[in-house]
Amino acid sequence: MHTISKAAHLLNISEFKLFSEAYLAWFGDRADDEDLTLVFSQFIMFGELPEWADQFARSVLDDLEANRQVNLNSFCILNLSPRVGKRPEISFSILR
């Protein structure tokens, strides 16, 4: 719960907005408002934190700690369509 609050505070956004951005980053699509409100309510009332929100908040905190610029709504082309199942592995090669 602390990671969500801290990440939202450092980005100067609400915790709900952080949840919304986390959902977008994880699933590649905007969440339905009612569904997101339900998940956020469970977080506020019971401290239940979905993995996708926790991972997003931790990555934001890691980036800020490493002095990397964090821009919300900037995500790679792989995230532009909704995913089913686990995220694909991303790899690259450096060519000379």
Side-chain angles (χ1 to χ4, degrees):
M1 201 164 170
H2 180 69
T3 57
I4 295 292
S5 298
K6 186 174 179 181
H9 174 74
L10 291 173
L11 292 173
N12 199 28
I13 60 173
S14 69
E15 292 174 344
F16 186 82
K17 174 72 172 166
L18 189 75
F19 260 71
S20 177
E21 296 303 318
Y23 188 94
L24 174 63
W26 188 269
F27 295 105
D29 198 8
R30 290 283 178 196
D32 180 59
D33 285 339
E34 291 178 17
D35 293 339
L36 192 60
T37 300
L38 176 65
V39 172
F40 185 72
S41 297
Q42 290 175 330
F43 164 69
I44 294 298
M45 289 189 292
F46 307 113
E48 294 177 13
L49 184 60
E51 180 185 354
W52 47 267
D54 185 48
Q55 291 293 332
F56 184 78
R58 289 177 189 276
S59 68
V60 165
L61 293 175
D62 289 345
D63 286 347
L64 291 172
E65 187 175 315
N67 290 322
R68 292 185 201 112
Q69 185 175 359
V70 175
N71 295 321
L72 298 178
N73 293 326
S74 63
F75 45 93
C76 71
I77 194 73
L78 295 175
N79 291 340
L80 292 178
S81 63
R83 279 196 254 348
V84 177
K86 295 187 88 173
R87 288 180 155 192
E89 292 291 325
I90 298 174
S91 63
F92 64 92
S93 299
I94 298 176
L95 301 175
R96 294 170 139 190

